[in-house]
Amino acid sequence: MPNGAEPADARWEELVTRLRGDSDALFQSFLARVRRVPPYARGLVPTDRMEHDATRTFDYLLRRISRAPMPDRLAGIGTEIGRDRAHRGVPLNDLLTAVRLNFRIVWDALREQAGPEDGPLLVARVDRVWAAVEEHALHVQLAYQDEGALIARERQGERSMLVAALLGEVDGAGHVLGDPAPDDVARVARALAIDVDDDLLVVVSPASAGARLHRVADTFAAQGRPVHVQALARHAVLLARWTGASPPGEGSAGIRALRSALGGLLDTVPCVLGPLAHGVANVPASARTALRAVDALPGLTGPVDPYDVWLPVAAAGLAGTRGIGPELAGSVLGGLSALPPAERERLLETIRAWARTGSVTAVAQELWCHRNTVLNRLRRITELTGRDVTVPEQATVVLLALACSDALGPR
Protein backbone atom coordinates (compact mmCIF):
# COMPACT_ATOMS: atom_id res chain seq x y z
CA MET A 1 0.00 0.00 0.00
CA PRO A 2 1.49 3.43 -0.93
CA ASN A 3 2.75 5.74 1.77
CA GLY A 4 -0.04 7.92 3.20
CA ALA A 5 -2.84 5.49 2.26
CA GLU A 6 -3.25 4.02 5.72
CA PRO A 7 -3.76 7.34 7.58
CA ALA A 8 -6.32 8.41 4.95
CA ASP A 9 -8.20 5.13 5.32
CA ALA A 10 -8.10 5.43 9.08
CA ARG A 11 -9.42 8.98 8.99
CA TRP A 12 -12.18 7.97 6.54
CA GLU A 13 -13.16 5.10 8.81
CA GLU A 14 -13.25 7.49 11.78
CA LEU A 15 -15.60 9.91 9.97
CA VAL A 16 -17.93 7.14 8.83
CA THR A 17 -17.98 5.50 12.27
CA ARG A 18 -19.14 8.77 13.83
CA LEU A 19 -22.08 8.86 11.41
CA ARG A 20 -23.01 5.26 12.17
CA GLY A 21 -23.27 6.25 15.82
CA ASP A 22 -25.73 9.06 15.07
CA SER A 23 -28.38 7.28 13.01
CA ASP A 24 -31.22 9.31 14.56
CA ALA A 25 -29.79 12.58 13.24
CA LEU A 26 -29.48 11.04 9.76
CA PHE A 27 -33.09 9.90 9.88
CA GLN A 28 -34.39 13.28 11.05
CA SER A 29 -32.56 14.96 8.19
CA PHE A 30 -34.00 12.39 5.75
CA LEU A 31 -37.51 12.83 7.16
CA ALA A 32 -37.37 16.62 6.76
CA ARG A 33 -36.37 16.29 3.10
CA VAL A 34 -38.49 13.32 2.03
CA ARG A 35 -41.68 14.99 3.23
CA ARG A 36 -41.28 17.38 0.29
CA VAL A 37 -41.78 14.44 -2.10
CA PRO A 38 -45.56 14.30 -2.82
CA PRO A 39 -46.39 10.63 -2.02
CA TYR A 40 -44.47 10.85 1.24
CA ALA A 41 -46.12 14.17 2.06
CA ARG A 42 -49.50 12.44 1.62
CA GLY A 43 -48.50 9.75 4.11
CA LEU A 44 -48.33 6.78 1.72
CA VAL A 45 -45.42 5.50 3.80
CA PRO A 46 -45.95 5.69 7.59
CA THR A 47 -43.26 7.45 9.60
CA ASP A 48 -42.40 4.35 11.64
CA ARG A 49 -41.86 2.39 8.41
CA MET A 50 -39.65 5.17 7.02
CA GLU A 51 -37.61 5.23 10.23
CA HIS A 52 -37.15 1.47 10.17
CA ASP A 53 -36.05 1.48 6.52
CA ALA A 54 -33.93 4.64 6.70
CA THR A 55 -31.99 3.46 9.77
CA ARG A 56 -31.09 0.20 8.03
CA THR A 57 -30.37 1.99 4.75
CA PHE A 58 -27.88 4.38 6.34
CA ASP A 59 -26.20 1.48 8.13
CA TYR A 60 -25.98 -0.34 4.78
CA LEU A 61 -24.61 2.69 2.91
CA LEU A 62 -22.05 3.61 5.56
CA ARG A 63 -20.77 0.04 5.62
CA ARG A 64 -20.52 0.10 1.81
CA ILE A 65 -18.55 3.34 1.67
CA SER A 66 -16.18 2.22 4.44
CA ARG A 67 -16.00 -1.29 2.98
CA ALA A 68 -16.94 -2.80 6.31
CA PRO A 69 -18.41 -6.34 6.51
CA MET A 70 -22.09 -6.50 5.50
CA PRO A 71 -24.35 -8.57 7.80
CA ASP A 72 -27.08 -10.68 6.20
CA ARG A 73 -29.79 -8.57 7.83
CA LEU A 74 -28.78 -5.60 5.64
CA ALA A 75 -27.98 -7.36 2.35
CA GLY A 76 -31.56 -7.25 1.06
CA ILE A 77 -32.63 -3.79 2.27
CA GLY A 78 -32.97 -2.37 -1.26
CA THR A 79 -35.14 -5.27 -2.35
CA GLU A 80 -37.37 -4.92 0.72
CA ILE A 81 -37.89 -1.19 0.16
CA GLY A 82 -38.65 -1.65 -3.53
CA ARG A 83 -41.29 -4.32 -2.87
CA ASP A 84 -42.88 -2.40 -0.01
CA ARG A 85 -43.20 0.85 -1.99
CA ALA A 86 -44.68 -0.99 -4.98
CA HIS A 87 -47.44 -2.34 -2.75
CA ARG A 88 -48.05 1.10 -1.24
CA GLY A 89 -48.44 2.66 -4.68
CA VAL A 90 -45.50 5.07 -4.48
CA PRO A 91 -44.65 6.07 -8.10
CA LEU A 92 -41.22 4.84 -9.14
CA ASN A 93 -39.83 8.28 -9.99
CA ASP A 94 -40.83 9.61 -6.57
CA LEU A 95 -39.34 6.54 -4.89
CA LEU A 96 -35.99 7.02 -6.64
CA THR A 97 -36.04 10.71 -5.73
CA ALA A 98 -36.44 9.70 -2.08
CA VAL A 99 -33.69 7.08 -2.30
CA ARG A 100 -31.23 9.49 -3.87
CA LEU A 101 -31.77 11.95 -1.02
CA ASN A 102 -29.50 9.59 0.90
CA PHE A 103 -26.46 10.85 -0.99
CA ARG A 104 -27.02 14.47 0.02
CA ILE A 105 -27.77 13.50 3.62
CA VAL A 106 -24.66 11.31 4.01
CA TRP A 107 -22.46 13.81 2.17
CA ASP A 108 -23.63 16.79 4.24
CA ALA A 109 -23.12 14.79 7.44
CA LEU A 110 -19.58 13.84 6.39
CA ARG A 111 -18.75 17.47 5.66
CA GLU A 112 -20.03 18.51 9.10
CA GLN A 113 -17.84 15.87 10.77
CA ALA A 114 -14.75 16.74 8.69
CA GLY A 115 -12.21 19.42 9.41
CA PRO A 116 -10.56 21.81 6.94
CA GLU A 117 -7.69 19.38 6.51
CA ASP A 118 -10.11 16.63 5.32
CA GLY A 119 -11.05 18.42 2.10
CA PRO A 120 -8.80 16.33 -0.19
CA LEU A 121 -10.05 13.15 1.48
CA LEU A 122 -13.69 14.03 0.85
CA VAL A 123 -12.97 14.88 -2.78
CA ALA A 124 -11.19 11.57 -3.22
CA ARG A 125 -14.05 9.55 -1.71
CA VAL A 126 -17.13 11.33 -3.13
CA ASP A 127 -17.38 8.80 -5.96
CA ARG A 128 -17.51 5.99 -3.43
CA VAL A 129 -20.47 7.59 -1.68
CA TRP A 130 -22.30 8.23 -4.94
CA ALA A 131 -21.63 4.68 -6.21
CA ALA A 132 -23.00 3.16 -2.99
CA VAL A 133 -26.20 5.22 -3.22
CA GLU A 134 -26.68 4.42 -6.94
CA GLU A 135 -26.12 0.71 -6.33
CA HIS A 136 -28.74 0.83 -3.58
CA ALA A 137 -31.12 2.77 -5.88
CA LEU A 138 -30.69 0.12 -8.59
CA HIS A 139 -31.60 -2.66 -6.14
CA VAL A 140 -34.67 -0.70 -5.08
CA GLN A 141 -35.70 -0.04 -8.70
CA LEU A 142 -35.33 -3.65 -9.87
CA ALA A 143 -37.27 -4.99 -6.88
CA TYR A 144 -39.99 -2.37 -7.41
CA GLN A 145 -40.35 -3.27 -11.09
CA ASP A 146 -40.44 -7.00 -10.43
CA GLU A 147 -43.02 -6.60 -7.67
CA GLY A 148 -45.00 -4.14 -9.77
CA ALA A 149 -45.21 -6.66 -12.61
CA LEU A 150 -46.41 -9.33 -10.17
CA ILE A 151 -49.00 -6.97 -8.70
CA ALA A 152 -50.20 -6.04 -12.20
CA ARG A 153 -50.67 -9.73 -13.08
CA GLU A 154 -52.58 -10.33 -9.87
CA ARG A 155 -54.78 -7.30 -10.44
CA GLN A 156 -55.39 -8.34 -14.05
CA GLY A 157 -56.53 -11.75 -12.80
CA GLU A 158 -58.76 -10.10 -10.22
CA ARG A 159 -60.25 -7.77 -12.85
CA SER A 160 -60.90 -10.72 -15.15
CA MET A 161 -62.79 -12.58 -12.44
CA LEU A 162 -64.83 -9.50 -11.55
CA VAL A 163 -65.68 -8.67 -15.16
CA ALA A 164 -66.69 -12.30 -15.73
CA ALA A 165 -69.05 -11.95 -12.77
CA LEU A 166 -70.35 -8.67 -14.21
CA LEU A 167 -71.09 -10.24 -17.57
CA GLY A 168 -72.84 -13.08 -15.83
CA GLU A 169 -72.88 -16.77 -16.51
CA VAL A 170 -71.24 -17.59 -19.83
CA ASP A 171 -72.12 -20.70 -21.81
CA GLY A 172 -69.71 -22.80 -23.86
CA ALA A 173 -70.17 -20.62 -26.93
CA GLY A 174 -69.23 -17.51 -25.02
CA HIS A 175 -72.72 -16.01 -24.85
CA VAL A 176 -73.49 -13.79 -21.88
CA LEU A 177 -76.61 -15.11 -20.19
CA GLY A 178 -77.06 -13.43 -16.82
CA ASP A 179 -77.41 -9.93 -15.42
CA PRO A 180 -74.99 -8.41 -12.90
CA ALA A 181 -75.59 -8.22 -9.18
CA PRO A 182 -75.23 -4.73 -7.61
CA ASP A 183 -72.21 -5.83 -5.58
CA ASP A 184 -70.49 -7.08 -8.74
CA VAL A 185 -71.13 -3.73 -10.42
CA ALA A 186 -69.48 -1.84 -7.56
CA ARG A 187 -66.48 -4.19 -7.42
CA VAL A 188 -65.87 -3.94 -11.18
CA ALA A 189 -66.03 -0.15 -11.02
CA ARG A 190 -63.38 -0.12 -8.29
CA ALA A 191 -61.18 -2.61 -10.16
CA LEU A 192 -61.35 -0.55 -13.35
CA ALA A 193 -60.84 2.72 -11.46
CA ILE A 194 -64.09 4.20 -12.77
CA ASP A 195 -67.41 5.36 -11.32
CA VAL A 196 -70.39 3.02 -11.52
CA ASP A 197 -72.27 5.62 -13.59
CA ASP A 198 -69.50 6.22 -16.14
CA ASP A 199 -70.31 5.59 -19.80
CA LEU A 200 -68.41 2.62 -21.22
CA LEU A 201 -67.41 1.71 -24.74
CA VAL A 202 -68.10 -1.98 -25.45
CA VAL A 203 -66.39 -3.72 -28.38
CA VAL A 204 -66.63 -7.45 -29.16
CA SER A 205 -64.40 -9.35 -31.55
CA PRO A 206 -63.91 -13.03 -32.36
CA ALA A 207 -61.30 -14.62 -30.10
CA SER A 208 -58.97 -14.90 -33.11
CA ALA A 209 -58.81 -11.09 -33.24
CA GLY A 210 -58.09 -10.74 -29.53
CA ALA A 211 -54.48 -9.63 -30.11
CA ARG A 212 -55.65 -6.74 -32.28
CA LEU A 213 -58.20 -5.76 -29.66
CA HIS A 214 -55.42 -5.76 -27.05
CA ARG A 215 -53.42 -3.34 -29.21
CA VAL A 216 -56.41 -1.00 -29.24
CA ALA A 217 -56.55 -1.36 -25.45
CA ASP A 218 -52.85 -0.44 -25.22
CA THR A 219 -53.60 2.76 -27.14
CA PHE A 220 -56.44 3.60 -24.76
CA ALA A 221 -54.21 2.92 -21.76
CA ALA A 222 -51.50 5.19 -23.18
CA GLN A 223 -54.15 7.93 -23.36
CA GLY A 224 -54.86 7.43 -19.66
CA ARG A 225 -58.24 5.82 -20.34
CA PRO A 226 -59.28 2.94 -18.00
CA VAL A 227 -59.59 -0.16 -20.20
CA HIS A 228 -59.91 -3.93 -19.86
CA VAL A 229 -60.06 -6.81 -22.37
CA GLN A 230 -62.00 -9.87 -21.23
CA ALA A 231 -61.38 -13.23 -22.92
CA LEU A 232 -64.48 -15.42 -23.35
CA ALA A 233 -64.72 -18.86 -24.91
CA ARG A 234 -65.05 -17.63 -28.49
CA HIS A 235 -64.84 -13.86 -28.15
CA ALA A 236 -62.87 -10.97 -26.70
CA VAL A 237 -64.70 -8.07 -25.06
CA LEU A 238 -63.10 -4.64 -24.67
CA LEU A 239 -64.44 -2.25 -22.04
CA ALA A 240 -63.14 1.33 -21.93
CA ARG A 241 -64.39 4.46 -20.24
CA TRP A 242 -65.96 6.82 -22.75
CA THR A 243 -64.03 10.08 -22.77
CA GLY A 244 -66.00 12.04 -25.37
CA ALA A 245 -67.16 15.54 -24.60
CA SER A 246 -70.77 14.32 -24.55
CA PRO A 247 -72.65 11.04 -24.97
CA PRO A 248 -72.90 10.11 -28.67
CA GLY A 249 -76.65 9.39 -28.67
CA GLU A 250 -78.55 6.16 -29.18
CA GLY A 251 -79.12 3.69 -31.98
CA SER A 252 -77.21 3.66 -35.25
CA ALA A 253 -76.54 7.40 -35.00
CA GLY A 254 -74.83 6.80 -31.65
CA ILE A 255 -72.67 3.99 -33.06
CA ARG A 256 -71.63 6.19 -36.00
CA ALA A 257 -70.69 8.94 -33.55
CA LEU A 258 -68.60 6.48 -31.55
CA ARG A 259 -66.73 5.32 -34.65
CA SER A 260 -66.13 8.91 -35.71
CA ALA A 261 -64.77 9.82 -32.28
CA LEU A 262 -62.43 6.82 -32.34
CA GLY A 263 -61.00 7.81 -35.71
CA GLY A 264 -59.51 4.80 -37.48
CA LEU A 265 -58.50 3.00 -34.31
CA LEU A 266 -60.79 0.02 -34.95
CA ASP A 267 -60.57 -0.04 -38.75
CA THR A 268 -58.39 -3.18 -38.91
CA VAL A 269 -60.20 -5.03 -36.13
CA PRO A 270 -63.04 -7.43 -37.05
CA CYS A 271 -65.47 -6.42 -34.36
CA VAL A 272 -68.91 -5.15 -33.44
CA LEU A 273 -69.42 -1.97 -31.41
CA GLY A 274 -72.10 -2.43 -28.82
CA PRO A 275 -74.38 0.43 -27.83
CA LEU A 276 -72.64 2.80 -25.40
CA ALA A 277 -73.26 1.39 -21.91
CA HIS A 278 -74.59 4.13 -19.62
CA GLY A 279 -73.15 2.86 -16.36
CA VAL A 280 -71.36 -0.38 -15.49
CA ALA A 281 -74.64 -2.22 -14.88
CA ASN A 282 -75.59 -1.78 -18.55
CA VAL A 283 -72.42 -3.39 -19.90
CA PRO A 284 -73.93 -6.93 -20.15
CA ALA A 285 -76.86 -5.74 -22.29
CA SER A 286 -74.50 -3.96 -24.69
CA ALA A 287 -72.19 -6.98 -24.78
CA ARG A 288 -75.10 -9.33 -25.54
CA THR A 289 -76.10 -7.26 -28.57
CA ALA A 290 -72.54 -7.20 -29.90
CA LEU A 291 -71.91 -10.90 -29.18
CA ARG A 292 -74.95 -11.96 -31.16
CA ALA A 293 -73.89 -9.79 -34.07
CA VAL A 294 -70.35 -11.23 -34.09
CA ASP A 295 -71.74 -14.77 -34.18
CA ALA A 296 -74.11 -13.88 -37.03
CA LEU A 297 -71.28 -12.42 -39.15
CA PRO A 298 -68.46 -14.98 -39.49
CA GLY A 299 -66.82 -12.98 -42.30
CA LEU A 300 -66.14 -9.82 -40.29
CA THR A 301 -63.25 -7.73 -41.61
CA GLY A 302 -63.73 -4.46 -39.71
CA PRO A 303 -65.97 -2.66 -37.21
CA VAL A 304 -69.73 -3.16 -37.66
CA ASP A 305 -72.79 -1.40 -36.27
CA PRO A 306 -74.99 -4.06 -34.59
CA TYR A 307 -78.10 -2.18 -35.68
CA ASP A 308 -77.17 -2.80 -39.32
CA VAL A 309 -77.19 -6.58 -38.92
CA TRP A 310 -80.48 -7.32 -37.20
CA LEU A 311 -81.57 -9.66 -40.02
CA PRO A 312 -78.64 -12.11 -39.67
CA VAL A 313 -78.79 -11.72 -35.88
CA ALA A 314 -82.48 -12.65 -35.84
CA ALA A 315 -81.82 -15.49 -38.28
CA ALA A 316 -79.02 -16.83 -36.09
CA GLY A 317 -81.43 -16.86 -33.15
CA LEU A 318 -84.04 -18.74 -35.16
CA ALA A 319 -81.44 -21.15 -36.51
CA GLY A 320 -80.55 -21.99 -32.95
CA THR A 321 -84.16 -22.50 -31.94
CA ARG A 322 -85.15 -26.14 -32.19
CA GLY A 323 -86.87 -26.72 -35.53
CA ILE A 324 -87.88 -23.12 -36.34
CA GLY A 325 -84.92 -22.03 -38.47
CA PRO A 326 -84.70 -25.16 -40.62
CA GLU A 327 -88.49 -25.27 -41.00
CA LEU A 328 -88.64 -21.63 -42.11
CA ALA A 329 -85.81 -22.04 -44.61
CA GLY A 330 -87.19 -25.31 -45.96
CA SER A 331 -90.79 -24.14 -46.30
CA VAL A 332 -89.95 -20.87 -48.03
CA LEU A 333 -86.90 -21.81 -50.08
CA GLY A 334 -87.67 -25.44 -50.74
CA GLY A 335 -88.77 -24.69 -54.30
CA LEU A 336 -85.30 -23.36 -55.10
CA SER A 337 -83.50 -26.49 -53.97
CA ALA A 338 -84.43 -28.48 -57.11
CA LEU A 339 -82.86 -25.92 -59.45
CA PRO A 340 -79.43 -26.33 -60.99
CA PRO A 341 -76.86 -24.61 -58.74
CA ALA A 342 -76.03 -21.87 -61.28
CA GLU A 343 -79.68 -20.92 -61.78
CA ARG A 344 -80.38 -20.97 -58.04
CA GLU A 345 -77.41 -18.68 -57.41
CA ARG A 346 -78.59 -16.21 -60.07
CA LEU A 347 -82.00 -15.98 -58.43
CA LEU A 348 -80.52 -15.55 -54.96
CA GLU A 349 -78.15 -12.78 -56.02
CA THR A 350 -81.08 -11.06 -57.72
CA ILE A 351 -83.24 -11.04 -54.60
CA ARG A 352 -80.32 -9.87 -52.45
CA ALA A 353 -79.64 -6.99 -54.85
CA TRP A 354 -83.36 -6.17 -54.96
CA ALA A 355 -83.52 -6.10 -51.14
CA ARG A 356 -80.58 -3.66 -51.02
CA THR A 357 -81.83 -1.27 -53.68
CA GLY A 358 -85.58 -1.77 -54.30
CA SER A 359 -84.91 -0.68 -57.89
CA VAL A 360 -85.11 -2.84 -61.02
CA THR A 361 -82.77 -0.44 -62.80
CA ALA A 362 -80.19 -0.55 -60.00
CA VAL A 363 -80.32 -4.36 -59.90
CA ALA A 364 -79.89 -4.57 -63.68
CA GLN A 365 -76.84 -2.29 -63.49
CA GLU A 366 -75.32 -4.22 -60.60
CA LEU A 367 -75.82 -7.64 -62.21
CA TRP A 368 -75.05 -6.52 -65.77
CA CYS A 369 -78.33 -7.69 -67.23
CA HIS A 370 -81.47 -6.26 -68.85
CA ARG A 371 -84.36 -4.87 -66.81
CA ASN A 372 -86.65 -7.52 -68.27
CA THR A 373 -84.23 -10.20 -67.06
CA VAL A 374 -84.51 -8.82 -63.54
CA LEU A 375 -88.33 -8.78 -63.72
CA ASN A 376 -88.37 -12.33 -65.06
CA ARG A 377 -86.14 -13.52 -62.20
CA LEU A 378 -88.32 -11.81 -59.61
CA ARG A 379 -91.41 -13.50 -61.08
CA ARG A 380 -89.58 -16.82 -61.03
CA ILE A 381 -88.73 -16.35 -57.34
CA THR A 382 -92.41 -15.65 -56.64
CA GLU A 383 -93.39 -18.89 -58.42
CA LEU A 384 -90.88 -21.00 -56.50
CA THR A 385 -91.42 -19.49 -53.03
CA GLY A 386 -95.10 -18.60 -53.25
CA ARG A 387 -94.28 -15.07 -52.13
CA ASP A 388 -94.13 -11.88 -54.16
CA VAL A 389 -90.77 -10.36 -53.28
CA THR A 390 -91.86 -6.97 -54.65
CA VAL A 391 -94.29 -6.76 -51.73
CA PRO A 392 -92.31 -5.69 -48.59
CA GLU A 393 -94.19 -7.94 -46.13
CA GLN A 394 -93.72 -11.03 -48.30
CA ALA A 395 -90.15 -10.11 -49.20
CA THR A 396 -89.31 -9.94 -45.46
CA VAL A 397 -90.27 -13.59 -45.01
CA VAL A 398 -88.11 -14.66 -47.96
CA LEU A 399 -85.14 -12.64 -46.72
CA LEU A 400 -85.46 -14.02 -43.20
CA ALA A 401 -85.66 -17.56 -44.59
CA LEU A 402 -82.58 -16.87 -46.70
CA ALA A 403 -80.72 -15.51 -43.65
CA CYS A 404 -81.72 -18.63 -41.68
CA SER A 405 -80.39 -20.79 -44.51
CA ASP A 406 -77.08 -18.90 -44.42
CA ALA A 407 -76.90 -19.25 -40.62
CA LEU A 408 -77.58 -23.01 -40.82
CA GLY A 409 -74.88 -23.46 -43.45
CA PRO A 410 -74.58 -26.34 -45.92
CA ARG A 411 -76.69 -29.35 -45.08
Side-chain angles (χ1 to χ4, degrees):
M1 182 174 295
N3 290 336
E6 289 185 5
D9 287 341
R11 177 57 177 164
W12 180 252
E13 179 66 27
E14 180 184 355
L15 292 174
V16 173
T17 299
R18 289 180 189 171
L19 297 189
R20 288 173 60 188
D22 196 10
S23 60
D24 184 64
L26 294 175
F27 169 68
Q28 292 302 327
S29 177
F30 173 78
L31 187 61
R33 296 180 188 225
V34 81
R35 281 179 171 164
R36 301 169 192 164
V37 181
Y40 292 85
R42 295 196 304 269
L44 281 184
V45 184
T47 301
D48 58 348
R49 177 72 199 207
M50 284 195 289
E51 181 175 12
H52 173 76
D53 291 341
T55 300
R56 296 172 68 211
T57 295
F58 288 125
D59 194 2
Y60 169 86
L61 292 174
L62 294 173
R63 286 176 182 272
R64 290 289 292 152
I65 65 178
S66 67
R67 298 179 178 171
M70 187 69 65
D72 291 342
R73 63 182 177 81
L74 297 179
I77 180 60
T79 298
E80 291 178 27
I81 291 174
R83 289 174 176 171
D84 177 79
R85 302 312 188 260
H87 280 280
R88 295 182 189 277
V90 177
L92 180 57
N93 286 340
D94 291 322
L95 171 59
L96 294 179
T97 296
V99 170
R100 290 187 173 113
L101 289 175
N102 292 316
F103 171 78
R104 176 55 58 188
I105 292 164
V106 170
W107 187 246
D108 287 348
L110 283 169
R111 291 175 60 194
E112 289 178 6
Q113 294 285 346
E117 71 281 2
D118 295 319
L121 177 62
L122 293 180
V123 171
R125 300 295 167 89
V126 64
D127 286 347
R128 188 183 295 186
V129 178
W130 180 251
V133 172
E134 282 301 297
E135 179 188 53
H136 174 61
L138 179 61
H139 291 160
V140 171
Q141 178 177 347
L142 292 176
Y144 180 100
Q145 291 171 330
D146 287 346
E147 196 69 13
L150 178 60
I151 293 170
R153 288 194 295 271
E154 291 173 348
R155 288 177 179 170
Q156 175 67 22
E158 180 185 10
R159 281 197 300 270
S160 293
M161 288 187 292
L162 291 172
V163 172
L166 170 75
L167 294 176
E169 183 183 356
V170 179
D171 67 10
H175 299 129
V176 181
L177 301 178
D179 289 319
D183 287 347
D184 292 333
V185 170
R187 282 193 287 267
V188 168
R190 286 194 297 271
L192 295 179
I194 61 176
D195 293 331
V196 293
D197 295 326
D198 280 346
D199 289 336
L200 288 164
L201 180 71
V202 180
V203 182
V204 177
S205 74
S208 59
R212 278 181 272 184
L213 206 59
H214 273 285
R215 286 195 287 273
V216 173
D218 290 341
T219 300
F220 285 154
Q223 297 170 350
R225 186 189 306 213
V227 62
H228 174 78
V229 177
Q230 183 75 15
L232 301 180
R234 290 171 44 196
H235 309 88
V237 180
L238 180 147
L239 307 178
R241 186 172 64 193
W242 173 250
T243 58
S246 60
E250 305 300 330
S252 289
I255 297 293
R256 286 194 296 271
L258 284 175
R259 287 187 61 178
S260 176
L262 293 172
L265 193 57
L266 292 172
D267 284 355
T268 62
V269 182
C271 63
V272 174
L273 280 76
L276 190 69
H278 300 300
V280 177
N282 291 312
V283 165
S286 176
R288 276 195 290 270
T289 300
L291 283 163
R292 291 178 183 130
V294 169
D295 284 343
L297 300 168
L300 275 173
T301 58
V304 171
D305 175 350
Y307 297 114
D308 289 341
V309 293
W310 279 124
L311 187 60
V313 168
L318 289 175
T321 304
R322 190 176 185 86
I324 295 178
E327 182 179 348
L328 175 61
S331 65
V332 175
L333 305 176
L336 297 172
S337 61
L339 297 177
E343 182 180 355
R344 183 170 65 249
E345 185 55 36
R346 281 195 296 270
L347 294 180
L348 291 177
E349 71 177 359
T350 299
I351 189 173
R352 288 188 174 107
W354 169 258
R356 285 194 303 273
T357 66
S359 165
V360 172
T361 300
V363 174
Q365 291 174 345
E366 181 178 332
L367 302 183
W368 294 84
C369 61
H370 196 275
R371 282 173 49 88
N372 289 341
T373 301
V374 174
L375 292 171
N376 289 336
R377 289 180 185 177
L378 293 176
R379 281 193 290 269
R380 180 69 169 144
I381 292 167
T382 297
E383 292 172 3
L384 294 170
T385 64
R387 289 169 174 82
D388 185 351
V389 294
T390 64
V391 176
E393 184 178 18
Q394 297 184 43
T396 300
V397 176
V398 176
L399 292 172
L400 186 56
L402 185 56
C404 282
S405 179
D406 291 342
L408 289 166
R411 287 176 292 164

